[in-house]
Amino acid sequence: MAELQTTGVPAIEVRKLCKSFGDNEVLKGIDFHVDQGEVVCVIGPSGSGKSTLLRCVNRLEEPTSGTIIVEGVDITDEDTDLDKVRTRIGMVFQQFNLFPHLTVLRNLTLAQIRAKKRGKAEAEEIARRNLDKVGLADKVDAFPAQLSGGQQQRVAIARALSMDPDMMLFDEPTSALDPELVGDVLDVMKQLARDGMTMMVVTHEMGFAREVGDRVVFMDGGVVVEQGKPDDVLGNPQHERTRGFLSKVL
Ligand code: ADP
Ligand code: MG
């Protein structure tokens, strides 16, 4: 297996990525990258392939063709140890996917103990530190159902962080939340970005993209239509399709 490299290479590099589901060609030759420490926001209409792209990055979806390189390691190479690469990538989804029958603390320690082989005490210490980071130190013994959606999503972020990922992928992390709960989750993500985390964020939160994103990528119909600095893409889009989309969401 190739050695992992962490300096000088992009965190994520996607080349000519194609993905079809049966006859449905969903990704049509995507070139995309995220540099280390960069926050890239991916926007675009429903069905444009944003989630499929994100899911290909840690091989939750099998690409039809193309190359995906994570920290210098080709994850489309069949010799690559996928489990090892995946531990470097934290994922946060629209649905929080917490285990309902486990306390918050156990939700955070489970994967650490199983996949990272940490002892219980160490895993709990790391869990508490990350819960504190997302403002939920007092919820260690709560069950997910006792928390609001925004709190559950922050637990999901803390859980991902407890695996010490090099990068975080977010797929519409606030789309399932009541409007008044969105801000707390975005604040946690802003702080993560300030701390230097590499982030790929699929979002409809244009304010977040503008304020926190280093780059915005607009996808439509399985291609990257336009990308650049948030102020340019959102404030002065060059393509008609981008203008059409933004006129509906801004
Ligand atoms: P977005 O996240 O931009 O809304 P998706 O990547 O979820 O778009 O979906 C793009 C297209 O791929 C849609 O037409 C969707 O129906 C299709 N698709 C996504 N996942 C699957 C799947 N597992 N099986 C079949 N079709 C899928
Ligand atoms: Mg999606």
Side-chain angles (χ1 to χ4, degrees), residues 198-250:
T198 302
M199 294 164 60
M200 171 180 177
V201 185
V202 176
T203 187
H204 293 295
E205 293 290 334
M206 297 302 149
F208 177 88
R210 194 155 200 157
E211 185 188 335
V212 184
D214 295 306
R215 192 150 46 84
V216 167
V217 173
F218 172 65
M219 280 180 68
D220 192 12
V223 300
V224 171
V225 173
E226 173 164 6
Q227 60 176 310
K229 291 202 179 74
D231 281 345
D232 293 339
V233 175
L234 302 176
N236 185 25
Q238 299 301 300
H239 290 260
E240 187 51 45
R241 283 153 87 180
T242 319
R243 284 194 284 271
F245 173 72
L246 291 174
S247 72
K248 289 185 202 123
V249 297
L250 284 179

Side-chain angles (χ1 to χ4, degrees), residues 22 26 61-62 125 142 149 157 183 216 231:
V26 172
E61 297 290 354
E62 198 72 27
E125 188 197 319
I157 293 171
V216 167
D231 281 345

Side-chain angles (χ1 to χ4, degrees), residues 169-186:
L169 314 186
F170 294 87
D171 193 357
E172 299 197 34
T174 60
S175 293
L177 301 178
D178 291 333
E180 75 272 21
L181 304 177
V182 168
D184 287 342
V185 173
L186 293 181

Side-chain angles (χ1 to χ4, degrees), residues 10-14 32-34 57 68-71 167 169 200:
I12 301 166
E13 192 173 358
V14 170
F32 172 86
H33 75 280
V34 181
V57 168
I68 301 169
I69 299 167
V70 174
E71 293 182 326
M167 65 196 80
L169 314 186
M200 171 180 177

Side-chain angles (χ1 to χ4, degrees), residues 19-217:
K19 172 66 182 176
S20 298
F21 294 103
D23 293 340
N24 187 7
E25 199 184 359
V26 172
L27 300 180
K28 303 170 183 170
I30 298 273
D31 289 307
F32 172 86
H33 75 280
V34 181
D35 283 329
Q36 291 186 36
E38 195 181 27
V39 178
V40 176
C41 293
V42 180
I43 63 171
S46 181
S48 56
K50 305 179 300 296
S51 295
T52 303
L53 169 62
L54 184 137
R55 290 165 60 80
C56 280
V57 168
N58 75 350
R59 292 273 304 272
L60 286 175
E61 297 290 354
E62 198 72 27
T64 305
S65 64
T67 309
I68 301 169
I69 299 167
V70 174
E71 293 182 326
V73 176
D74 182 351
I75 65 161
T76 42
D77 182 335
E78 60 181 24
D79 290 336
T80 296
D81 181 349
L82 269 185
D83 288 338
K84 195 167 174 183
V85 175
R86 284 193 181 122
T87 65
R88 293 169 176 255
I89 306 175
M91 299 274 290
V92 175
F93 301 94
Q94 187 174 330
Q95 301 303 335
F96 330 116
N97 302 331
L98 299 175
F99 293 110
H101 59 295
L102 299 180
T103 63
V104 164
L105 189 67
R106 285 275 288 141
N107 263 283
L108 267 69
T109 56
L110 189 66
Q112 293 188 66
I113 291 166
R114 289 203 183 153
K116 286 257 179 195
K117 311 288 178 220
R118 286 179 182 149
K120 188 162 172 266
E122 186 192 7
E124 288 187 351
E125 188 197 319
I126 290 167
R128 286 174 196 276
R129 198 191 310 145
N130 283 303
L131 283 171
D132 190 42
K133 207 181 250 184
V134 301
L136 294 172
D138 56 336
K139 300 295 185 191
V140 280
D141 296 322
F143 286 89
Q146 297 170 315
L147 304 177
S148 73
Q151 290 172 330
Q152 289 186 56
Q153 190 59 298
R154 286 185 282 150
V155 169
I157 293 171
R159 178 177 58 179
L161 291 175
S162 295
M163 301 298 282
D164 294 329
D166 292 343
M167 65 196 80
M168 293 277 286
L169 314 186
F170 294 87
D171 193 357
E172 299 197 34
T174 60
S175 293
L177 301 178
D178 291 333
E180 75 272 21
L181 304 177
V182 168
D184 287 342
V185 173
L186 293 181
D187 284 345
V188 165
M189 293 168 64
K190 272 180 213 170
Q191 187 57 48
L192 262 185
R194 270 189 228 118
D195 292 345
M197 178 61 79
T198 302
M199 294 164 60
M200 171 180 177
V201 185
V202 176
T203 187
H204 293 295
E205 293 290 334
M206 297 302 149
F208 177 88
R210 194 155 200 157
E211 185 188 335
V212 184
D214 295 306
R215 192 150 46 84
V216 167
V217 173

